[in-house]
Amino acid sequence: MWKSSGLSKQQQVVGIIIVIMAETKKLHIAFFPWLAFGHIIPHLEVALQIAQKGHKISFISTPRNIQRMPKIPTNLQPNINLVSLTLPQTENLPNHAESTMDLCSNEVPFLKIAYDSLQDPLTRFLKTSNPDWIVYDFAPYWLPSVAANLGIAGAFFSVYGSWTVTFLGSSSSSIINGDDQRTKAEDFTVPPKWIPFPSKVAFRLHEAKKSIDAHVHLTSTSDVSDMFRFGSVMSGCDVIAIRDCMELAGEFITLLSELHRKPVFPVGLLPPSAQDGGEDDTDTWFKIKTWLDKQNKGSVVYIAFGSESEPSRDEFKELALGLELSNLPFFWILRKQENDVAALLPAGYEERVKDQGVVWKSWAPQRKILAHDSVGGFLTHCGYSSIVEALYFERPLIMLTLSIDQGLIARVFAEKGVGVEIDRDDENGWFSKESVAESAKLVTVDEEGMVYRNNAKEMKKLVLDKEIHDRYIEDFVKFLVNYGLGRKHS
């Protein structure tokens, strides 16, 4: 007997067929992230998790970036095709520069010009490979129309949290057309009017000035702003996926869907357990571990600013003096050449702090360091991936924002009580060595900072909850499958 549901028998049969097909249908999904490892790695993490469910992945980037990516786990290699598109040489782009980590910040616009030049080879690949979906980043404003013309569904995957995307604008069209009435830096220091719930997520004045100059206004090298790019991909996509979860930012995720009138799927926080493991045991780790083993439990301040962000020369020196003033043991990763570091540090610095801290001048295994018992606090630029990793290992945060949306991220996690922001001048962003030392001691060892350490332990439960994060990926994949089947049978 058919149960009465308001549907005809034919409609019910079609529905059952779609459900059965959804359980067996295997997709071909292409990924095309922006050329920055803060984007490439989260895209790869989502791709790996989808591949684990038996779907075919084409992961598209440039040759050098593919070489620098983590190795694909052996069991997933049959499902993942790494596709290299040669990055065209463009004027003012240094040779062999294929990622933002290869460039100074003022050279990144030239990388975007080269990235846009990948439109033709990418289009040829999509025509010949005919994937079911193309998952793209904020930058390829031209890709939604290319995919639509080829009959390929498009998903915008934001590596930025829902609070950041919501902060950008009240709709895709308003972002594209520049309809935002916020024109002065001061306008960005309060939550926008379209956020209907209480929120402290807004820029400080110095952050707003930097962000507007870099991402809102047109640059001298390109006629396409980052805002136009964002608006275009959100307007042209079929679904928005976002690195976030309802438990952390449910109100923002719901609002994001309402503002853009599209389905929004959080894919979880993408904690380290979702990655391939990487960071093999090496002589490098042995040397670092030997030093960490000599320090007291929870006493070390770990400092790292990712592969793309860095303080100014003056900020660099003040930070160094602040770490020295704290009298805490510290481990500071710097990826510049040794001669560059020597020029940036105060005179005689490394000799003075040799019994206190380490200035490490090359790659180091961040996850292994954060996992070590001697680390008590993480001084970070507030890159989203770095914060997730820190909380995975229950390390409280000492926050020093440097660029892009890091100020908004800092507001979110300061409000969650898992760390503090280093006190800075609101107008120019300057901080003193005293504020560095005070924040480091408060978060890492002071009794008053126990609340931040306890909150970080509590937040770890969410970051480690594999069931929650697996469910988000499962729901997203179900949508990808059902969307295509629904279109074919509608």
Side-chain angles (χ1 to χ4, degrees), residues 206-235:
H206 64 93
E207 295 166 340
K209 290 177 179 177
K210 186 182 294 186
S211 186
I212 289 172
D213 289 343
H215 302 285
V216 178
H217 298 316
L218 301 180
T219 69
S220 60
T221 57
S222 173
D223 60 356
V224 182
S225 71
D226 282 356
M227 292 296 284
F228 182 86
R229 293 176 186 273
F230 259 109
S232 297
V233 296
M234 285 193 286
S235 175

Side-chain angles (χ1 to χ4, degrees), residues 29-72:
I29 304 172
F31 280 76
F32 185 58
W34 163 234
L35 305 179
F37 274 84
H39 293 244
I40 291 171
I41 297 302
H43 275 253
L44 180 61
E45 290 168 1
V46 173
L48 291 174
Q49 293 190 59
I50 294 176
Q52 285 177 347
K53 301 182 183 303
H55 301 283
K56 178 183 176 182
I57 301 294
S58 290
F59 198 89
I60 308 162
S61 192
T62 62
R64 190 168 181 225
N65 288 332
I66 286 177
Q67 291 172 1
R68 292 184 287 189
M69 283 171 16
K71 292 181 180 179
I72 304 300

